[in-house]
Amino acid sequence: MSAPEKPLRKITSFDVARRAGVSRGTVSRTFTPNASVSPETREKVVKAAKELGYRVNFLARGLINQRSDFVGVVAASINDPYRAMQIEQIAKSLVRHNFRPILLPDSQGENADHAIEQLLHYNVSGVLVISYAPPTALCAEFAAAGVPIVLINKADSIPTVDRVVSNTDAAGRLAAVTLIEGGARQLVVIGAAAISFTARRLQQSFIACCHALETEVRTFPVKFNDYANGFAAAATLNGVDGAFCVNDYMACGLIDGLRQRGLVVPFDIRVIGHDDVPQASWASYDLTTLKRHFDLQAEQAIDLLLSRMNDLEMAERVELTPVSLVRRSTA
Amino acid sequence: MSAPEKPLRKITSFDVARRAGVSRGTVSRTFTPNASVSPETREKVVKAAKELGYRVNFLARGLINQRSDFVGVVAASINDPYRAMQIEQIAKSLVRHNFRPILLPDSQGENADHAIEQLLHYNVSGVLVISYAPPTALCAEFAAAGVPIVLINKADSIPTVDRVVSNTDAAGRLAAVTLIEGGARQLVVIGAAAISFTARRLQQSFIACCHALETEVRTFPVKFNDYANGFAAAATLNGVDGAFCVNDYMACGLIDGLRQRGLVVPFDIRVIGHDDVPQASWASYDLTTLKRHFDLQAEQAIDLLLSRMNDLEMAERVELTPVSLVRRSTA
DNA sequence: CTGTTAGCGCGTTCAC
DNA sequence: GTGAACGCGCTAACAG
């Protein structure tokens, strides 16, 4: 009634400038990293801003800079414990670096492509792909737009697309050595090599190491690397005394399946997993496993992102994330 | 060398307009929901846009509309299976509604407040808070900015802040009835009522129902609702034949702990959980539990968001998410 | 239904 | 170090 002006008008840098008795440019510089403002004026501006409740509009900033501080995070089946761990670490690292993770939870396939493409509408600073291998055409599109993509634990090499991969060579070797040292002589590796890059690589290095140590080994292919397939595998597994599961989730299933058959882990058969998810340390499993350092991997991914932002033409890089053995009671 | 003009200039609506032989306004209308363009011109514009590889800049759009299509999602300990399920469903629902979830993974406390406040810099459409109760001052700030907040499974009622909560009354009652029908006479409810709203409410309704059915019941307070505390609880639990754990994670720990003591579930003691996380269906546990419908809850949350966007002054609403009993072998 | 005009809020040249 | 101008890419309101 009394006020003709709108009560909820947005506070802009102009308002702050007026109140602080300076120009808009000065206000802008005060809130821009790499500024150059005299301490006194800066203080005046900050004070005025606080009194008015001013906040920089990052949308406008992104418009100017041709780059926002968003980073796309593409991930499917967050449900899986290790996937959840990955995402949490990645999100935390991004926020720590003052990026904002925009989460794209996608079922595989066409939808994912579409969702990823959407990111170009927001001038994102980059994309982290966890659970899906985008087609090269799409990668090229991002490269053309100057938006770096980092693939996490993915297979194929794509020009100007950096990757960070878990050290599967070391993991496979450690698994084999640990089982053999524990007394196993007839080994098996269980995993869906067909659908998972990590599984495939783990299997390869595990087998290679077994051969080098002159130990018998065979593969047990499954459809998915999950609890159910591990459980089912136990039913038809014979003549082995040491099993390497390419993830803990599946190892838990295997152990439960073996128990149902009356077999005792690790006496009848030793089991080793991969990931070190929380369940691995549960009393019911107490699973010996290869720990993946997701916190470290997240930092590596962001480092790659940052360095490529500085040099778009850089040759593609592959960063290796270390794994470490966690000795528990199953091997 | 040959081209003086920059090769990578961004395609703008102006370029599309020129190529299609129309004005910028027309191009804009073509890509704006609730447009009004003649089919023919629309086709021309779309064609030109496709040829040029044009994409609307959503940052600029957000600048105009005073509102972006981002929605903040605040969540701690994504690690927990049920938290992960929640987040996945929420993110999927948001994307389905054409929002972009920006994920704030935060440790409790001051940091969280700061992180949430950051959202105001992006003109977000709303905020979904899963794992943290923001102070009223902060809520007021968002209300003043016209940004709706929806709290998920949180306690305190705050003016103009909507909430969606799991139907804990039904869950507690179902738990009690199921245990008693199964033959239990000495009940216990295990949970960290002090730190979790859901746990507190479940405990209350469980006890109330026991009283109504004239069955003995007591509480077993723990520090956190996790596996370790469930496991530890088993060691000092005596004289009970039915236990309700406020989440499955803890129920798994309890079962493992009981087994270690040589007790047999469900004969010596019946156990019922809450959430229905994937582990609950594992053979090793086969846990009877109350299923939370996260998919539904996510939709409810977004509905609240949308309706409040239409009417900021609306009285606060509380939406109830149903739970359902999943009968397995532990009760 | 279409073209035109006027901002949205800010960063970054320039002169001074 | 500071202020004035211009432009980032787009949508909304109006005139035709």
Side-chain angles (χ1 to χ4, degrees), chain A residues 8 10 55-60 62-63 68-70 77-79 81 84-85 87-88 91-92 95 100-103 105 117-118 120-123 141 144 227 231 249 252 256 278-279 282-285, chain B residues 8 10 55-60 62-63 68-70 77-79 81 84-85 87-88 91-92 95 100-103 105 117-118 120-123 141 144 227 231 249 252 256 278-279 282-285:
Chain A
L8 265 178
K10 270 247 152 109
R55 4 186 128 266
V56 178
N57 186 327
F58 286 176
L59 262 35
L63 193 54
S68 69
D69 43 9
F70 291 109
S77 55
I78 301 175
N79 204 14
M85 294 173 78
I87 292 179
E88 175 158 26
K92 278 186 175 167
V95 169
R100 309 283 154 232
I102 118 169
L103 181 61
E117 210 167 357
Q118 291 278 322
L120 286 175
H121 292 258
Y122 299 95
N123 283 8
E141 205 170 352
Y227 181 91
F231 191 89
Y249 219 34
C252 291
D256 283 340
Q279 289 76 14
W282 287 10
S284 174
Y285 301 107
Chain B
L8 266 177
K10 270 243 153 110
R55 8 186 123 267
V56 178
N57 186 328
F58 285 176
L59 262 34
L63 194 55
S68 68
D69 44 8
F70 291 109
S77 55
I78 301 174
N79 204 14
M85 294 173 78
I87 293 179
E88 175 157 26
K92 277 185 176 167
V95 169
R100 309 284 154 230
I102 118 169
L103 182 61
E117 210 168 356
Q118 292 277 323
L120 286 175
H121 292 258
Y122 299 95
N123 282 8
E141 204 171 353
Y227 181 89
F231 192 87
Y249 219 34
C252 291
D256 283 341
Q279 288 78 16
W282 287 10
S284 173
Y285 300 107

Side-chain angles (χ1 to χ4, degrees), chain A residues 224-244:
Chain A
F224 300 104
N225 299 312
D226 59 7
Y227 181 91
N229 277 279
F231 191 89
T236 58
L237 208 57
N238 288 307
V240 300
D241 55 9
F244 174 35

Side-chain angles (χ1 to χ4, degrees), chain B residues 277-289:
Chain B
V277 300
Q279 288 78 16
S281 67
W282 287 10
S284 173
Y285 300 107
D286 198 37
L287 180 68
T288 296
T289 190

Side-chain angles (χ1 to χ4, degrees), chain B:
Chain B
M1 276 208 188
S2 56
E5 56 202 10
K6 292 188 182 178
L8 266 177
R9 237 196 65 256
K10 270 243 153 110
I11 309 295
T12 93
S13 64
F14 184 72
D15 302 312
V16 178
R18 283 234 305 203
R19 184 176 247 267
V22 297
S23 78
R24 286 224 315 283
T26 304
V27 175
S28 171
R29 255 169 275 138
T30 305
F31 293 106
T32 301
N34 317 329
S36 57
V37 192
S38 79
E40 312 153 10
T41 44
R42 144 164 269 125
E43 195 181 350
K44 274 197 304 186
V45 172
V46 169
K47 180 160 168 276
K50 195 158 292 176
E51 290 169 353
L52 261 42
Y54 168 74
R55 8 186 123 267
V56 178
N57 186 328
F58 285 176
L59 262 34
R61 175 181 284 181
L63 194 55
I64 291 276
N65 295 341
Q66 312 258 57
R67 165 148 301 169
S68 68
D69 44 8
F70 291 109
V71 170
V73 176
V74 182
S77 55
I78 301 174
N79 204 14
D80 276 12
Y82 80 95
R83 197 43 49 77
M85 294 173 78
Q86 268 185 316
I87 293 179
E88 175 157 26
Q89 293 305 329
I90 285 175
K92 277 185 176 167
S93 292
L94 284 174
V95 169
R96 203 178 302 128
H97 286 263
N98 268 314
F99 288 116
R100 309 284 154 230
I102 118 169
L103 182 61
L104 295 187
D106 238 328
S107 18
Q108 312 287 61
E110 292 273 327
N111 282 344
D113 293 348
H114 181 67
I116 297 176
E117 210 168 356
Q118 292 277 323
L119 290 172
L120 286 175
H121 292 258
Y122 299 95
N123 282 8
V124 294
S125 287
V127 182
L128 261 31
V129 181
I130 302 180
S131 58
Y132 168 72
T136 50
L138 203 143
C139 290
E141 204 171 353
F142 273 75
V147 178
I149 299 183
V150 174
L151 265 40
I152 300 184
N153 292 324
K154 279 306 150 199
D156 310 308
S157 139
I158 302 172
T160 73
V161 172
D162 302 314
R163 289 179 296 147
V164 37
V165 298
S166 198
N167 190 344
T168 48
D169 282 357
R173 201 178 331 118
L174 269 171
V177 168
T178 305
L179 287 173
I180 292 169
E181 278 181 351
R185 291 297 170 261
Q186 308 281 333
L187 301 186
V188 65
V189 49
I190 306 175
I195 62 161
S196 158
F197 171 68
T198 303
R200 192 158 55 248
R201 296 291 295 268
L202 285 173
Q203 182 174 305
Q204 287 168 358
S205 72
F206 182 77
I207 290 175
C209 183
C210 288
H211 287 165
L213 297 176
E214 296 178 349
T215 304
E216 280 194 41
V217 61
R218 55 195 182 86
T219 64
F220 191 104
V222 294
K223 286 195 105 165
F224 300 104
N225 299 313
D226 59 9
Y227 181 89
N229 276 278
F231 192 87
T236 59
L237 207 58
N238 289 307
V240 301
D241 55 9
F244 174 34
C245 290
V246 297
N247 77 17
D248 288 350
Y249 219 34
M250 198 168 53
C252 291
L254 179 71
I255 291 174
D256 283 341
L258 292 171
R259 279 184 187 145
Q260 184 151 307
R261 285 178 58 188
L263 295 173
V264 178
V265 177
F267 301 107
D268 295 320
I269 177 170
R270 295 144 197 86
V271 176
I272 189 166
H274 187 266
D275 289 350
D276 194 30
V277 300
Q279 288 78 16
S281 67
W282 287 10
S284 173
Y285 300 107
D286 198 37
L287 180 68
T288 296
T289 190
L290 280 332
K291 179 187 179 75
R292 294 165 82 163
H293 299 265
F294 291 117
D295 46 353
L296 214 173
Q297 190 167 58
E299 286 295 332
Q300 288 176 305
I302 293 174
D303 283 348
L304 287 177
L305 218 56
L306 291 171
S307 58
R308 182 158 297 283
M309 282 169 58
N310 290 334
D311 181 3
L312 289 168
E313 312 297 337
M314 197 173 64
E316 67 191 88
R317 293 198 298 169
V318 178
E319 202 81 25
L320 227 52
T321 311
V323 299
S324 54
L325 179 66
V326 179
R327 285 187 194 275
R328 296 203 184 89
S329 70
T330 61

